[in-house]
Amino acid sequence: MTTTATTHTPFNRLLLTGAAGGLGKVLRESLRPYANVIRLSDIADIAPAIDDREEVVPCDLADKQAVHQLVEGVDAILHFGGVSTEHSFEQILGANICGVFHIYEAARRHGVKRVIFASSNHVIGFYKQDEVIDAHSPHRPDSYYGLSKSYGEDMATFYFDRYGIETVSVRIGSSFPEPQNRRMMSTWLSFGDLTQLLERALYTPNVGHTVVYGMSDNKDIWWDNRYAANLGYAPKDTSEVFREKVEAQPLPAADDPARVYQGGAFCAAGPFGD
Ligand code: NAI
Ligand code: 15L
């Protein structure tokens, strides 16, 4: 994916958590037009800064004091760090639940006014694949992981109502180079469309707390973005170009969660620790 020139004034300093992760590595490059300096953070090793427009600051999101120091001097936060798949509650707790609290509390204390939260379709994963929902549909989390993202979205609402910190929560579908299975024909979000969506999330004024489904211009979709129309997000890619390849895979059984639920296999993970 190539980066494009922007007509926006760059932020002075953006913070990207989860910078060592799959999406973090992509965004490290694609977000460059939007900041004079990007501060890259993760608990895992991050490739060294390539120039003086990058800063690498290791941090465990579960460590409140470390997150407080991490956020100092930034103008907006793209919060992509955390456990990104289903695990036991104890494993999710520190990185995702304490972590999102630490991010918002640090934002409040340092006067940061905009957070972009990498939420997930697993907030609503127990809706069935024949249902179409929107951002006002009640949460139906499919996992402890989905619950942590649900909590993060509520945290965003609270910090806007109480402190005026604005958030765009992007309920990312499946953001990978290609859709990997039939379910992802509906949920796929290309890296280019993700970047466009984040650009809209950073620069659209008065977002309050806006929830947007992060999907490309796919044919068979389950999510209606009417309540995020203010962002002006207009996806350019579509999973259709991968249909033949994906449909060469065997069709899952009719009762397989991968075919029944929007959240797919996450709906059948666990229990843990029995
Ligand atoms: P990833 O697992 O590759 O990246 C997450 C990063 O967070 C990792 O580098 C990990 O080291 C870091 N991390 C974990 N615990 C941490 C802690 N305690 N302190 C600091 N950093 C910690 O996941 P990916 O795919 O890059 O996703 C990025 C974000 O987007 C995640 O929050 C994920 O939940 C969310 N998301 C991603 C989707 C996708 O399709 N890639 C779909 C929906 C949501
Ligand atoms: C997510 O939330 C995960 O972070 C990602 O790894 C995928 O599993 C994605 O959802 C998905 O639902 O495909």
Side-chain angles (χ1 to χ4, degrees):
M1 202 195 68
T2 52
T3 55
T4 48
T6 178
T7 52
H8 294 298
T9 306
F11 286 78
N12 187 41
R13 185 174 273 97
L14 290 177
L15 168 63
L16 175 64
T17 68
L23 295 184
K25 286 181 184 136
V26 171
L27 297 174
R28 175 179 188 166
E29 184 184 340
S30 69
L31 292 175
R32 276 174 75 87
Y34 309 118
N36 296 328
V37 176
I38 303 187
R39 182 172 294 169
L40 303 161
S41 184
D42 206 293
I43 197 171
D45 289 344
I46 306 174
I50 58 165
D51 58 20
D52 61 5
R53 294 185 52 212
E54 292 186 342
E55 294 173 346
V56 173
V57 182
C59 178
D60 180 355
L61 291 161
D63 180 338
K64 185 175 184 181
Q65 186 54 32
V67 175
H68 180 72
Q69 287 168 7
L70 176 68
V71 168
E72 183 171 15
V74 308
D75 303 303
I77 301 169
L78 296 117
H79 183 42
F80 278 68
V83 175
S84 65
T85 54
E86 179 62 330
H87 285 75
S88 71
F89 180 77
E90 289 76 12
Q91 288 171 290
I92 299 280
L93 179 63
N96 291 23
I97 293 183
C98 298
V100 76
F101 164 63
H102 295 159
I103 285 285
Y104 275 96
E105 197 48 14
R108 178 189 69 75
R109 289 165 69 185
H110 289 298
V112 179
K113 288 296 184 195
R114 178 74 56 110
V115 177
I116 316 301
F117 175 51
S119 185
S120 172
N121 71 88
H122 297 288
V123 167
I124 47 76
F126 261 118
Y127 285 97
K128 295 213 169 135
Q129 292 183 7
D130 60 6
E131 295 176 274
V132 175
I133 58 171
D134 59 39
H136 291 182
S137 303
H139 293 187
R140 294 189 72 177
D142 59 20
S143 49
Y144 297 118
Y145 166 71
L147 275 167
S148 76
K149 297 294 186 179
S150 199
Y151 176 79
E153 290 189 9
D154 273 353
M155 181 76 67
T157 298
F158 169 69
Y159 270 83
F160 176 66
D161 289 341
R162 178 66 182 83
Y163 299 112
I165 297 173
E166 295 195 298
T167 296
V168 176
S169 289
V170 184
R171 281 188 194 162
I172 303 170
S174 307
S175 195
F176 299 102
E178 303 181 2
Q180 295 162 358
N181 51 46
R182 289 165 194 264
R183 170 181 165 272
M184 289 191 194
M185 289 300 292
S186 294
T187 60
W188 186 62
L189 173 65
S190 73
F191 294 153
D193 285 339
L194 171 63
T195 300
Q196 185 215 145
L197 182 48
L198 297 180
E199 178 261 317
R200 300 308 309 143
L202 284 167
Y203 287 99
T204 302
N206 305 319
V207 292
H209 177 207
T210 296
V211 174
V212 61
Y213 288 94
M215 59 186 163
S216 284
D217 186 19
N218 305 328
K219 182 161 165 267
D220 304 313
I221 53 171
W222 310 322
W223 306 324
D224 180 338
N225 263 333
R226 79 178 76 182
Y227 296 112
N230 55 322
L231 297 179
Y233 167 58
K236 293 186 168 31
D237 297 316
T238 175
S239 61
E240 275 310 292
V241 295
F242 301 103
R243 184 171 290 281
E244 199 176 321
K245 185 174 172 185
V246 168
E247 292 189 349
Q249 298 175 14
L251 184 66
D255 62 350
D256 187 325
R259 199 166 146 193
V260 176
Y261 296 110
Q262 297 190 4
F266 282 58
C267 295
F272 298 89
D274 287 353

